[in-house]
């Protein structure tokens, strides 16, 4: 398949590039039609004028597409800060709870983000934040299955066979970037044959929900992000603080 041949990141980059090229070419066509209609010796067909009118926002859409990368980075940064630095975060960060704020008279300015509906929040104590941070960093650093599984078990996860390979691969699926094999149903069937989750730690469930919603939003804009990498600096801050205070779990 194309994913196996060129990789997830390359495929998403090409889709995003094609989307951007389509929007800018549409914008150029719209402006050409609008300019021609003002000076043409004979009126342009109504269908052409109507098409240009219905696609007049193509240029602004293209600019917004460029801005989405900064928006995704900001959303991960804010929620990483809430989770690891504050220990209190909103776990319901779906697109309906994210506002793009841009005043009418400032249409050419950079939009701002507004976060609403903090009705599904989760609090983590210092020890829980430290344990989650260690798991996140082990995935971000692409450490061995043994190391990742150790931090996963330290959070309290229970599986039927206590398979180290299963825990390592499961954590990478949760908090790492998508790899070509993640899009293969056979890989998922093999993973579930390897072991089964009996208990998933409560303190991690809402963190995972938050990361899943944010990563899904990023994928909708053709961005394959590593949650571990996006939250690295915040997780590292937690570890450095506990080492300084000599109270690491």
């Amino acid at each position: 398949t194309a994913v196996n041949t060129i990789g997830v990141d390359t495929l998403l980059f090409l889709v995003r590039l094609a989307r951007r090229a389509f929007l800018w070419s549409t914008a150029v066509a719209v402006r050409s039609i609008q300019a021609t209609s003002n000076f043409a010796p004979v009126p342009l067909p109504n269908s052409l004028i109507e098409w240009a009118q219905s696609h007049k926002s193509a240029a602004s859409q293209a600019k917004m597409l460029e801005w989405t990368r900064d928006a995704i980075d900001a959303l991960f940064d804010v929620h990483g800060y809430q989770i690891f630095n504050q220990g209190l975060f909103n776990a319901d960060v779906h697109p309906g709870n994210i506002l793009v704020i841009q005043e009418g008279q400032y249409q050419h300015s950079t939009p701002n983000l507004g976060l609403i509906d903090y009705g599904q929040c989760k609090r983590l104590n210092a020890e829980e934040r430290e344990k989650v941070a260690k798991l996140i960093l082990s995935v971000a650093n692409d450490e061995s299955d043994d190391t990742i599984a150790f931090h996963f078990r330290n959070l309290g996860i229970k599986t039927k066979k206590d398979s180290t390979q299963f825990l390592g691969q499961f954590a990478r699926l949760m908090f790492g970037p998508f790899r070509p094999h993640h899009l293969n149903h056979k890989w998922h069937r093999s993973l579930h044959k390897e072991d089964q989750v009996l208990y998933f730690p409560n303190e991690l469930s809402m963190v995972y929900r938050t990361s899943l919603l944010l990563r899904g939003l990023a994928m909708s804009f053709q961005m394959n992000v590593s949650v571990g990498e996006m939250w690295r600096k915040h997780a590292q801050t937690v570890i450095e603080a506990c080492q300084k205070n000599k109270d690491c779990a």
Side-chain angles (χ1 to χ4, degrees), residues 139-156:
V139 173
N141 295 330
D142 196 21
E143 297 186 23
S144 67
D145 283 350
D146 286 334
T147 300
I148 295 174
F150 172 81
H151 293 306
F152 218 157
R153 292 186 183 106
N154 202 31
L155 275 161

Side-chain angles (χ1 to χ4, degrees), residues 100-112:
V100 177
I101 304 171
Q102 190 170 33
E103 298 296 333
Q105 65 266 37
Y106 302 115
Q107 292 181 1
H108 299 292
S109 63
T110 301
N112 293 314

Side-chain angles (χ1 to χ4, degrees), residues 4-193:
N4 290 326
T5 302
I6 64 176
V8 177
D9 290 334
T10 302
L11 181 61
L12 291 175
F13 169 78
L14 292 174
V15 172
R16 188 175 173 87
L17 183 64
R19 187 179 177 187
R20 185 164 59 242
F22 172 77
L23 287 170
W24 279 119
S25 62
T26 300
V28 170
V30 168
R31 290 177 180 176
S32 297
I33 292 170
Q34 290 173 337
T36 302
S37 65
N38 294 327
F39 302 102
V42 294
L44 294 178
N46 287 335
S47 59
L48 203 58
I49 300 297
E50 291 173 357
W51 181 89
Q53 182 66 22
S54 64
H55 291 83
K56 64 181 181 180
S57 65
S60 61
Q61 289 180 44
K63 292 177 181 179
M64 287 293 285
L65 184 61
E66 299 292 340
W67 170 78
T68 54
R69 185 171 297 279
D70 291 336
I72 292 296
D73 288 345
L75 288 168
F76 270 102
D77 188 37
V78 166
H79 288 84
Y81 180 82
Q82 290 178 358
I83 291 168
F84 295 104
N85 296 74
Q86 300 299 300
L88 179 62
F89 62 97
N90 178 26
D92 198 26
V93 58
H94 61 75
N97 286 340
I98 302 170
L99 304 180
V100 177
I101 304 171
Q102 190 170 33
E103 298 296 333
Q105 65 266 37
Y106 302 115
Q107 292 181 1
H108 299 292
S109 63
T110 301
N112 293 314
L113 292 173
L115 303 177
I116 63 173
D117 192 5
Y118 276 64
Q120 194 171 147
C121 291
K122 173 68 176 177
R123 186 182 296 277
L124 299 176
N125 62 37
E127 182 180 354
E128 290 168 343
R129 276 180 277 162
E130 179 196 341
K131 290 179 178 180
V132 173
K134 287 180 177 178
L135 177 62
I136 290 292
L137 286 173
S138 67
V139 173
N141 295 330
D142 196 21
E143 297 186 23
S144 67
D145 283 350
D146 286 334
T147 300
I148 295 174
F150 172 81
H151 293 306
F152 218 157
R153 292 186 183 106
N154 202 31
L155 275 161
I157 191 169
K158 303 294 183 184
T159 66
K160 189 173 182 179
K161 301 177 183 177
D162 194 31
S163 168
T164 293
Q165 180 180 355
F166 172 84
L167 291 173
Q169 294 301 315
F170 188 28
R172 288 189 175 91
L173 175 63
M174 291 169 60
F175 298 119
F178 282 124
R179 303 298 187 189
H181 57 265
H182 291 153
L183 306 180
N184 188 326
H185 290 296
K186 291 182 179 179
W187 181 85
H188 288 274
R189 286 196 293 268
S190 176
L191 181 67
H192 289 294
K193 286 181 180 179

